[in-house]
């Protein structure tokens, strides 16, 4: 009973606090900031206290007559990992935001939507009913949209358009998949769907495809990643941090649920996810190499790191009953990525708070004499590249071992190439992070020496220190996280515990080889090809701006072609409907003219007034018909595209 109440509290507390905090902020921003920190701290504390009960047995709560099919919440150890990391990151990011947003406008609105986004995110991870999950997923899209457009400049608004457009499109595809899912199975509870779905014929692949596409937008899965490079730089840094550290995981959570719970680890679906994960790793890392804006580098980095998790999810199905190490690696990297990526975004935010610029061409040398900032950023840098002693080394070693296990059990050229892509993509990570760190923290620029210390306070640095300690502690004591994952693996139909000695000669050698390869790419490619000289100064160029672009060369022309072709049809329908209404209205006019009668006092009788009102109504209907038919056009276009997808 206490656990059920706690589930409701962690779901509703942030939502209620969003509205209450907004009212408090009308009178005192300082009190609002303190209130939000306390609320997110309480949220995190409740989640910590829930661990003991959840580790014994899952906590379930069902409330009927909510969302049509009832609200079904469930917290087991698997979901607990996502809830814990979300509440932990939100607590630290809220504290960080109180410093970062000091000079921003509309702070009250920001915090309200920030808390609502937390509530919807927790709702996603707690939902046992997949329709509940979809509802929270869509709420999160709209609340996070308000965070992305917070600056309200043209760039932010344009980024918001592509984000909400992709989110709505993905949501509609997801909803179509859920409609088909319920039509064929009649079940909505996630743990029960798999038994029904796996018995279906090939239609199950269409259903899973639609659901994965819907979740894949948030997971920045190739080729649905086009929003990433625009949205992350546009949003305030705390929002970018939760977008990459937490909201990205909602999409990955959905894909993991689909492949392992709904499709029961189907080999074909898992193989596709594995291939997409490798593409994410490679393409994201390659594009990050060319960027000059740190937030854009980290955006593509997030896409690449999502690829590691997708590879793990794919390997879970490919390895079947031998998927134990893949489960460990996937869940471990979900935790690790959130920690080091939020740390790196916070470090970038510190720079932006001071200089209002994060282009490495403009800020080179800024961090050379900022020892505190340099150290915490270095921790994030070493973690993401998988340096031994830091948390990234642990999860990347697990994922690499899982890939090697697949290659051992299914020896073929495809998995050999997959191993090479894994290594090359990891070396890309080293190269683009060196590009940031050396330019910003190693190169010399005397104009920054001893300057700009005042704008940085402990409220911004403290969360970074906490994250740095967590990164190092997990790296040195990997069993801390393994203990939790030991309990979570039962959700995936496997038993046992792994006994991997991470700091062996071979593991360290493999990590250092990858890092050495990355240093080579940085020296030979980044420094020689992307770095140009202009007299005594140097700058980086980005030739990828002229490359083939999915959004510019595929999506925009395709959508315009669909709009142009279908608008011809709907123009005919539009004119037909309007002409019919006008024709009907004219007939009514004639008919109403014949009904004019006056009483003995010369007043028009009620029958005429009624007919005249009908005429006015029809005239108004004719004027508004264009808006109505264009609305029909939008809905019909989406349906046509969906039908085409279903056909193929």
């Amino acid at each position: 009973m206490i656990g059920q109440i706690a589930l409701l509290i962690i779901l509703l507390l942030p939502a209620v606090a969003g509205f209450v905090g907004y009212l408090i902020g009308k009178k005192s921003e300082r009190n609002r900031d303190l209130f939000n920190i306390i609320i997110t701290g309480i949220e995190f504390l409740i989640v910590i206290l829930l661990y003991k009960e959840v580790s014994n047995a899952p906590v379930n709560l069902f409330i009927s007559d909510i969302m049509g099919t009832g609200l079904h919440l469930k917290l087991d150890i698997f979901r607990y990992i996502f809830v814990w990391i979300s509440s932990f990151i939100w607590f630290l990011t809220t504290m960080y935001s109180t410093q970062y947003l000091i000079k921003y406008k509309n702070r009250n609105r920001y915090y309200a939507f920030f808390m609502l986004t937390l509530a919807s995110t927790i709702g996603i991870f707690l939902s046992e009913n997949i329709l509940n999950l979809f509802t929270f997923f869509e709420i999160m899209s709209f609340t996070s949209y308000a965070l992305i457009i917070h600056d309200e400049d043209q760039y932010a608004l344009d980024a918001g358009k592509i984000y909400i457009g992709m989110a709505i499109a993905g949501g509609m595809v997801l909803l179509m998949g859920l409609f088909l899912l319920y039509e064929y199975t009649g079940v909505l509870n996630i743990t029960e769907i798999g038994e029904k779905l796996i018995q279906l014929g090939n239609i199950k692949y269409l259903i899973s495809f639609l659901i994965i596409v819907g979740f894949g937008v948030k997971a920045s899965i190739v080729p649905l990643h086009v929003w990433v490079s625009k949205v992350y730089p546009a949003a305030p840094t705390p929002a970018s941090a939760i977008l990459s550290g937490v909201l990205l995981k909602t999409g990955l959570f959905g894909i993991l649920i689909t492949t392992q719970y709904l499709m029961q680890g189907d080999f074909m679906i898992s193989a596709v996810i594995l291939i997409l994960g490798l593409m994410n790793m490679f393409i994201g890392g390659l594009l990050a190499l060319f960027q000059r804006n740190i937030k854009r580098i980290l955006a593509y980095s997030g896409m690449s790191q999502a690829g590691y998790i997708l590879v793990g999810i794919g390997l879970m199905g490919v390895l079947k009953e031998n998927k134990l190490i893949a489960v460990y690696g996937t869940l471990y990297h979900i935790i690790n990525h959130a920690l080091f990526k939020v740390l790196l975004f916070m470090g970038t935010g510190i720079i932006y708070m001071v200089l209002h610029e994060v282009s490495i061409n403009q800020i080179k040398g800024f961090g050379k004499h900022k020892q505190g900032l340099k150290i915490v950023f270095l921790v994030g840098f070493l973690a993401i590249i998988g340096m031994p002693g830091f948390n990234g080394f642990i999860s990347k070693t697990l994922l690499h071992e899982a890939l090697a296990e697949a290659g051992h059990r299914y020896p073929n050229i495809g998995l050999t190439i997959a191993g090479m892509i894994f290594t090359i993509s990891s070396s890309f990570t080293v190269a683009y992070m060196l590009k940031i760190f050396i330019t910003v923290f190693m190169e010399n620029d005397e104009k920054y020496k001893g300057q700009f210390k005042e704008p940085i306070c402990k409220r911004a640095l403290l969360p970074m220190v906490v994250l740095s300690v967590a990164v190092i502690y997990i790296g040195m004591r990997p069993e801390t996280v393994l203990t939790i994952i030991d309990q979570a693996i039962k959700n995936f139909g496997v038993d046992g515990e792994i006994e991997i000695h991470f700091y062996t000669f071979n593991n360290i050698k493999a990590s250092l080889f990858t890092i050495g390869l990355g240093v080579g790419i940085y020296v030979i490619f980044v420094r020689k090809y992307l770095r140009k000289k202009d007299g005594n100064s140097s700058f980086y160029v980005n030739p990828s701006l002229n490359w083939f672009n999915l959004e510019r060369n595929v999506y925009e022309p395709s959508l315009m072609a669909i709009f142009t072709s279908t608008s011809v049809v709907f123009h005919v329908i539009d004119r037909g409907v309007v002409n019919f209404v006008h024709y009907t209205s004219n007939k009514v006019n004639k008919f109403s003219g014949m009904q004019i009668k006056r009483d003995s006092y010369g007043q028009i009788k009620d029958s005429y007034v009624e007919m005249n009102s009908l005429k006015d109504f029809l005239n108004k209907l004719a004027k508004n018909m264009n808006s109505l038919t264009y609305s029909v056009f939008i809905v019909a276009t989406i349906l046509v595209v969906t039908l085409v997808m279903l056909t193929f």
Side-chain angles (χ1 to χ4, degrees):
M1 185 65 181
I2 295 176
Q4 293 177 332
I5 294 173
L7 287 192
L8 269 183
I9 291 174
I10 63 175
L11 176 63
L12 298 178
L13 181 62
V16 174
F19 292 106
V20 174
Y22 184 84
L23 296 176
I24 295 174
K26 289 283 189 180
K27 296 182 179 180
S28 171
E29 293 204 25
R30 183 177 180 276
N31 290 339
R32 179 208 58 215
D33 293 348
L34 182 61
F35 173 78
N36 286 330
I37 292 173
I38 291 173
I39 291 297
T40 52
I42 292 173
E43 178 93 352
F44 181 49
L45 179 61
I46 294 173
V47 171
I48 292 174
L49 295 175
L50 271 169
Y51 175 72
K52 185 175 181 180
E53 183 169 352
V54 173
S55 61
N56 291 326
V59 180
N60 282 277
L61 174 64
F62 180 77
I63 304 175
S64 60
D65 303 322
I66 295 181
M67 299 184 185
T69 58
L71 177 66
H72 190 177
L73 304 179
K74 180 178 181 179
L75 185 62
D76 51 31
I77 288 293
F78 163 59
R79 298 166 193 266
Y80 182 85
I81 291 172
F82 289 89
V83 173
W84 185 91
I85 201 68
S86 299
S87 58
F88 178 57
I89 293 300
W90 233 279
F91 172 56
L92 295 178
T93 310
T94 302
M95 191 184 306
Y96 179 86
S97 296
T98 60
Q99 168 70 14
Y100 184 88
L101 294 171
I102 284 177
K103 296 181 180 179
Y104 273 69
K105 60 182 180 180
N106 299 321
R107 292 183 293 273
N108 221 23
R109 182 188 71 190
Y110 172 89
Y111 283 111
F113 282 102
F114 193 73
M115 299 299 284
L116 289 172
T117 304
L118 171 58
S120 56
T121 302
I122 294 294
I124 291 170
F125 296 138
L126 290 181
S127 293
E128 169 65 8
N129 181 306
I130 200 164
L131 193 58
N132 296 162
L133 192 157
F134 169 79
T135 304
F136 286 119
F137 196 72
E138 292 304 289
I139 293 171
M140 183 196 69
S141 295
F142 286 100
T143 56
S144 56
Y145 167 77
L147 303 178
I148 291 163
I149 65 165
H150 182 76
D151 285 351
E152 295 183 2
D153 55 24
Q154 193 57 50
Y155 185 83
L157 294 174
D158 289 342
K161 286 179 184 177
I162 189 171
Y163 177 78
I164 200 65
M166 293 289 291
I168 291 173
M172 293 195 70
V173 174
L174 173 59
L175 185 60
M176 176 62 73
L178 297 184
F179 282 159
L180 290 173
L181 178 67
Y182 187 68
E183 175 68 21
Y184 280 91
T185 66
V187 179
L188 290 172
N189 282 354
I190 291 171
T191 52
E192 299 174 7
I193 293 173
E195 298 176 3
K196 300 274 186 178
L197 187 61
I198 203 66
Q199 297 174 10
L200 301 178
N202 290 333
I203 189 67
K204 65 176 177 282
Y205 292 109
L206 173 61
I207 293 171
S208 59
F209 167 76
L210 293 173
I211 295 174
I212 288 171
V213 168
F215 287 125
V217 172
K218 283 290 189 303
S220 65
I221 196 170
V222 174
L224 306 173
H225 64 282
V226 294
W227 60 273
V228 169
S229 62
K230 292 181 174 62
V231 169
Y232 283 62
T237 300
S240 300
I242 63 165
L243 277 167
S244 182
V246 180
L247 301 194
L248 177 73
K249 306 301 188 301
T250 62
L252 294 168
F253 175 79
I255 294 173
L256 184 53
I257 288 290
T258 304
T259 57
Q260 290 297 308
Y261 282 70
L262 274 57
M263 293 297 292
Q264 303 281 293
D266 181 87
F267 185 87
M268 186 181 299
I269 293 292
S270 298
V272 171
I273 295 297
L274 174 59
I275 293 169
L276 290 174
L278 292 168
M279 291 174 63
N280 259 60
M281 289 172 61
F282 186 85
I283 295 173
L286 180 64
L287 291 174
L289 280 177
F290 292 92
Q291 308 309 310
R292 295 166 294 185
N293 181 297
I294 298 180
K295 291 180 75 173
R296 192 168 285 115
I297 294 173
L298 295 179
Y300 281 121
S301 171
M303 172 186 163
S304 180
Q305 295 300 312
Y308 285 88
I309 299 170
L310 289 168
V311 165
I313 294 172
L315 288 171
M316 288 165 67
V318 169
L319 288 170
K320 298 179 181 178
E321 65 275 4
N322 302 301
K323 62 184 176 183
L324 184 63
I325 193 169
V327 176
Y328 273 95
T330 302
L331 297 180
Y332 215 127
H333 202 64
I334 285 171
I335 297 170
N336 285 346
H337 172 256
L339 297 176
F340 59 63
K341 185 51 65 71
V342 171
L343 174 59
L344 290 170
F345 266 112
M346 285 184 176
T348 304
I350 293 287
I351 298 171
Y352 186 81
M353 272 193 283
V354 177
L355 301 179
H356 297 284
E357 178 63 71
V358 286
S359 169
I360 59 175
N361 285 337
Q362 304 298 323
I363 64 172
K364 59 182 178 180
F366 169 78
K368 184 176 178 62
H369 303 290
K370 310 295 184 295
Q371 299 304 325
L373 179 61
K374 181 190 290 188
I375 290 171
V376 292
F377 200 93
L378 178 63
V379 171
F381 163 43
L382 295 176
I384 196 173
I385 68 173
M387 175 66 74
F390 298 83
N391 66 346
F393 170 75
I394 306 300
S395 53
K396 287 190 175 185
T397 297
L398 286 169
L399 290 171
H400 189 264
E401 288 290 331
L403 190 57
E405 177 73 12
H408 175 71
R409 293 187 178 276
Y410 311 104
N412 60 71
I413 188 64
L415 286 172
T416 302
I417 294 173
M420 295 171 61
I421 292 174
F422 190 99
T423 301
I424 294 171
S425 300
S426 298
S427 66
F428 284 165
T429 306
V430 177
Y432 64 68
M433 288 306 301
L434 277 173
K435 180 180 179 181
I436 297 174
F437 191 80
I438 291 178
T439 305
V440 178
F441 294 98
M442 301 296 289
E443 292 188 6
N444 191 44
D445 194 332
E446 290 300 320
K447 70 180 179 182
Y448 293 128
K449 187 174 182 179
Q451 301 295 316
F452 307 110
K453 291 184 178 179
E454 293 80 7
I456 305 174
C457 77
K458 294 178 181 178
R459 278 182 298 174
L461 292 176
L462 180 59
M464 298 176 65
V465 172
V466 172
L467 287 169
S468 299
V469 171
V471 163
I472 296 172
Y473 182 79
I474 292 174
M476 299 303 296
R477 300 286 302 274
E479 65 275 7
T480 306
V481 175
L482 290 176
T483 303
I484 299 174
I485 301 178
D486 286 341
Q487 303 171 65
I489 61 170
K490 297 175 182 177
N491 293 77
F492 299 95
V494 289
D495 291 313
E497 299 178 1
I498 59 170
E499 293 185 5
I500 293 183
H501 301 288
F502 293 98
Y503 291 101
T504 63
F505 175 76
N506 286 334
N507 288 340
I508 294 174
K509 182 180 71 172
S511 176
L512 294 180
F513 171 78
T514 301
I515 292 171
L517 182 60
V519 172
I521 293 173
Y522 170 74
V523 173
I524 297 171
F525 178 73
V526 176
R527 297 282 292 190
K528 299 293 185 183
Y529 177 65
L530 299 180
R531 194 167 183 257
K532 305 295 181 182
K533 286 281 189 179
D534 183 15
N536 294 326
S537 63
S538 61
F539 62 94
Y540 282 99
V541 296
N542 183 5
S544 69
L545 294 174
N546 300 318
W547 288 4
F548 175 82
N549 182 281
L550 272 175
E551 181 188 1
R552 183 177 63 244
N553 301 118
V554 178
Y555 294 148
E556 289 182 0
S558 299
L559 290 173
M560 286 302 299
I562 293 171
F563 178 83
T564 303
S565 59
T566 54
S567 63
V568 174
V569 176
F570 282 95
H571 178 72
V572 174
I573 297 173
D574 179 33
R575 297 315 308 162
V577 173
V578 172
N579 290 337
F580 172 76
V581 173
H582 278 303
Y583 174 79
T584 305
S585 178
N586 290 334
K587 290 297 183 182
V588 171
N589 285 341
K590 292 180 181 180
F591 180 69
S592 63
M594 296 170 61
Q595 298 297 320
I596 299 176
K597 292 183 179 180
R598 299 178 183 275
D599 58 20
S600 57
Y601 298 100
Q603 299 295 319
I604 299 174
K605 287 190 174 181
D606 289 343
S607 60
Y608 176 74
V609 175
E610 290 172 0
M611 295 304 297
N612 199 43
S613 299
L614 177 60
K615 180 186 71 175
D616 291 341
F617 169 75
L618 290 170
N619 284 332
K620 183 180 292 186
L621 180 62
K623 292 178 181 178
N624 292 331
M625 192 52 64
N626 281 329
S627 298
L628 178 62
T629 51
Y630 281 124
S631 299
V632 174
F633 160 74
I634 293 171
V635 174
T637 300
I638 294 171
L639 289 175
V640 169
V641 173
T642 304
L643 287 173
V644 171
M645 291 175 62
L646 290 174
T647 303
F648 293 100

